[in-house]
Structures are given as structure tokens and as C-alpha cells.
Amino acid sequence: MNKKYIIALDGGTTSSRCIIFDRNGNIVSISQKEFTQYFPSPGHVEHDAVEIWSTQLTVLKEALEKSGINACEIDSIGITNQRETTILWDRNTGIPVYNAIVWQCRRTSQYCDRLKKRGYTDIIRDKTGLVIDAYFSATKIKWILDNIEGVRDKAQNGDILFGTVDTWLLWNLTGGKVHATDYSNAARTMLYNINELCWDKDLLKLFDIPESILPTVKPSSCHFGSTDLSLFGHEIAICGIAGDQQAALFGQTCFAKGEAKNTYGTGCFLLLNIGDKPHINKNGLISTIAWGINNKITYALEGSVFVGGAVIQWLRDQMQFITSAADSELVAAKLKNNEGVYFVPAFTGLGAPYWDQYAKGTIVGMTRGSNPSHIVRAALESIAYQSYDVIKAMESSCGIKLKELNVDGGACANDLLMQFQADILCSRITRPLCIESTALGAAYLSGLETGFFASMDEIKSRKSVSKQFIPNMSEIDIKNNLDGWHNAIQRTLTK
């Protein structure tokens, strides 16, 4: 039977998704299922790793069933995932030893502070491209080893495996046969040397983490393994893996140095392709590996906003100001502007370029006349403001002026937000026809390995634009908006 389709598994922060694409990159079938978010104490965020796997398998089978596609027609599977989220499990039973500690979790913030005071900032940045922060995997691994009874002893005996979500899914899909990850995910652990392309022994010693628990690191586009025969009655090759933001950069076809994208998902993540050499900097940005293909590494400069689309979920679920994410645009549009109300959604601290682990959410400028529309609009605008700050730090670091920003992620469907982003950036915003860039990138990486997609040039030629947003705000309005935002930021920062 001809191989007509390719599958992307998207293990996100709030849901598991499966998207089936055809050879033209069109969506044939999609299935999604949310999973439980656990908040055991303030600033702590966890997932049930077993639920992540079960929901991912469920949506994969649902997507096949809804489309009527036979597993024999699937060329291969690409995996993309929430990054940094940390899972440790028993090698022999496959049972996690603790809940997955999510990238948003701040439980190791004080330990990170101690590392900084001990002078490890430059060492870690130079080796990994990262800042010392609870965001990354290393301190989460250490926390589990130090706090869950018996786990460190088992790890020393070789009975514990670590993985980010991609590794966990790969291990389960292959029936426990493959324990691996790709360059892009390894680069997010704060244990991987992005210059020498290896697990760094000095950092493993610093964090007291046995190397035996770590997965094998492979190119983002390669044959990782095949699904266990028991899952679909047919083995399907797994040939692409990339962390969600790197996958989105690839899905947006930002293959050339200087091309950038911003994903408006749970958080906002702006990545700039910087070519074949890392750019270590000191202004709050991250140097990371974008992908590895054909023995060639592509690097990216990244700025991370912890709370992007998550603030819309907060408006819906906690505040009940809206009943659906789409309502945010309608409610915000009731106002011509924010009328001086600014919202800094520092629910889990602030990411780039501020990196304040202890900042808390702040709303400033409210008056007796303020109502839910003001807060909804301020929340939407906060997504654009945070992205603006990252982009300006990136421009300063690289000495460039971004003329165009490619966008994707659920919140980029909000026209009001995209126009406001274009206005304050004074840059063109380009939204692709398919905004599922993360899943598409995983599919492209997998299909390149198998020949389902002939080349990166062919992939680039397929990109279609849905809409462009051209800036049209006056200079004085831009200045007033940004002044108000930065005033709100200063009120929020703790350092």
C-alpha cells in the first residue's frame, strides 16, 4: 500500500494532539485531548506522565479512525513536545517514580539562586547557552533524585531513566526498546554542551546526576525506531523529533540565518535562526540548538515568555470573564484602547529578558470605571508587549532590525492581538495558512528522513500565507503604550 500520509504527535503543555498530514502539508485529520494540570503548592506545576502517554495514544488512534486511514498508509511519525518537562521512570517496570515536573514549575528557584551566588552563571551559559533558571530540566532531575525515596539509589544502579516528553513518548511507542532524544531537546536540559555536542561531565557532577539515566542524543531527522507491533498491528517508523519551539521554526520554514518566528501558545517563544554557530550572549536571551540534520547543526537565539496564551486560559477558567478563548477578541474590542490599564501576567515569574523568578502577576492603572473588558484587553496586549521586549533584546544582541515576524500558535488567530503586535513592533506580521507550525515541523523532519518530502527547498516552496498585518499606529501612541507597559514591569520586578 502506498505511503500517503505522515503523522505528527504534539505532546503539548495542556493537551496531547495528533495531526495527520498529506504530501502537500495539508491537514487530513486532527484529534486533541486535554490532560490534568496539577498545582500541589504555589509555583509548583506537575503532570501525570502516564496520562500524557495515554492521551497521546488515544488521539493517535482517534485521528486514524476519524480519517479512515490504515496504519499501513502512514509513512512515519514525527514527535514534538513541551520542552524541559522532566520525567523519571523505572527502566524495568516503565512506571514513573514521580509526576512529571513541568517547565513552568518554580520549585527549584532557591537552588538556582545558590548556583548563581556560587559563581556558576558564566560556566553554565558558556557550555549550554542557557541562563540558570528553574525552567530547565537539570534542577528538576536533581529534585526528584534528592526528594523521592529510593530513586537516587535506583539511579546509581542503572534502574532509572530520564526523559523529556519526547523521550517518554518514544520509549512507550517503541515498547521500551528506544531511550533517545534529539539535539533540540537535549539542549534544553542544562546538562548538554551545545559546543561539543555531548552530555557535559562537569555539569553532571555539579548536579550529582548519573549519566546512565540520560537518553542517547540523535539528529532531529533520523530513524529513531518503530512503533511496537502491538499498538497498530503494523510497525510505523519514527523519524523526526524536535522540541515544540524548534519544530515551529522548522515548520515556518525559517531555514536561513536571520529568519524568525514567534509561537503564541501557552507561553510565547521567539526563535531566530543564527546559522551554524552558537551566539552566547549576556542580555537575557538563550542560545540553543534549533535542529540537527545530515550531520549539520543549526543554532537559534531564543527568548521565552512564560505566560502567553495561558493568560487567556486564566481569564476563562479562573476569572470566568470569557467562556472561550475566541471571546477574548470580542470583549477586548469593546474598547478603543487599554485606557491606561496594564497587566503583567507573571504567574510563574518572568522569562526573557528579565529572568525574575519571584515576580508575581500585577495589574496597574485600574480606576472605578475599569471593568472586565479592560482586564481582557490588557491581558491580550501583555502577550504582545512581552514579545516586543524579547524581540528588542534579540535585535540589540544581533545588531539587526526584524522586518518580518512569522507567527503561529493558537493565539495568533486573534486578529486584534496580531495587529497590535505589528503596531508596537513597527514590523510586518505574517500568519501562515496552516498555523499548526509545530506539528508541521515535526512532520517535515520525519518526512525528510524517509524521502516523503524530497528536500528543504521543496518544503519551503509549499508555504502559503493566510494574512499579513501591517503596522499603522502613530509614533506617539506607540510610545505611550510602551511607556505604560514598562512602568508596569518596573512595579512587578523584585530585583
Side-chain angles (χ1 to χ4, degrees), residues 359-376:
K360 302 294 184 185
T362 306
I363 301 176
V364 303
M366 294 182 67
T367 67
R368 181 66 179 82
S370 298
N371 59 52
S373 291
H374 291 85
I375 296 176
V376 171

Side-chain angles (χ1 to χ4, degrees), residues 305-367:
V305 172
F306 292 158
V307 177
V311 75
I312 307 303
Q313 290 181 314
W314 179 81
L315 292 171
R316 181 194 67 190
D317 300 337
Q318 269 72 34
M319 302 307 291
Q320 299 183 359
F321 286 167
I322 55 177
T323 56
S324 70
D327 289 343
S328 62
E329 183 172 359
L330 299 174
V331 174
K334 293 178 181 179
L335 303 172
K336 291 184 179 180
N337 55 61
N338 61 26
E339 296 183 359
V341 178
Y342 293 86
F343 184 176
V344 184
F347 298 151
T348 54
L350 286 171
Y354 302 105
W355 292 106
D356 187 335
Q357 300 187 100
Y358 302 107
K360 302 294 184 185
T362 306
I363 301 176
V364 303
M366 294 182 67
T367 67

Side-chain angles (χ1 to χ4, degrees), residues 50 77 88 119 129 164 168 175 188 239 248 250 269 313 315 344 368 398 442 450 457 474-475 488 490:
V50 174
I77 294 173
L88 270 66
T164 42
W168 172 243
R188 311 300 297 192
C239 294
F250 201 84
F269 300 88
Q313 290 181 314
L315 292 171
V344 184
R368 181 66 179 82
C398 295
T450 63
D457 287 339
S474 69
E475 289 186 14
Q490 291 305 313

Side-chain angles (χ1 to χ4, degrees), residues 74-93:
I74 301 300
D75 171 81
S76 59
I77 294 173
I79 299 172
T80 184
N81 56 286
Q82 53 163 315
R83 304 170 303 172
E84 298 94 19
T85 293
T86 296
I87 305 168
L88 270 66
W89 66 95
D90 188 298
R91 178 194 295 272
N92 303 304
T93 66

Side-chain angles (χ1 to χ4, degrees), residues 106 112 115-116 120-139 187-191 207 280-288 302 304 306 350-357 495:
R106 313 309 296 170
C112 289
L115 288 175
K116 294 173 188 175
Y120 285 105
T121 297
D122 290 348
I123 294 170
I124 288 176
R125 183 182 59 238
D126 292 345
K127 286 175 175 287
T128 69
L130 308 177
V131 298
I132 296 176
D133 194 85
Y135 176 24
F136 305 107
S137 307
T139 62
R188 311 300 297 192
T189 60
M190 212 159 70
L191 296 171
F207 293 108
I280 307 298
N281 70 94
K282 298 182 179 182
N283 63 351
L285 299 174
I286 291 167
S287 296
T288 195
E302 175 175 336
S304 306
F306 292 158
L350 286 171
Y354 302 105
W355 292 106
D356 187 335
Q357 300 187 100
K495 57 182 179 180

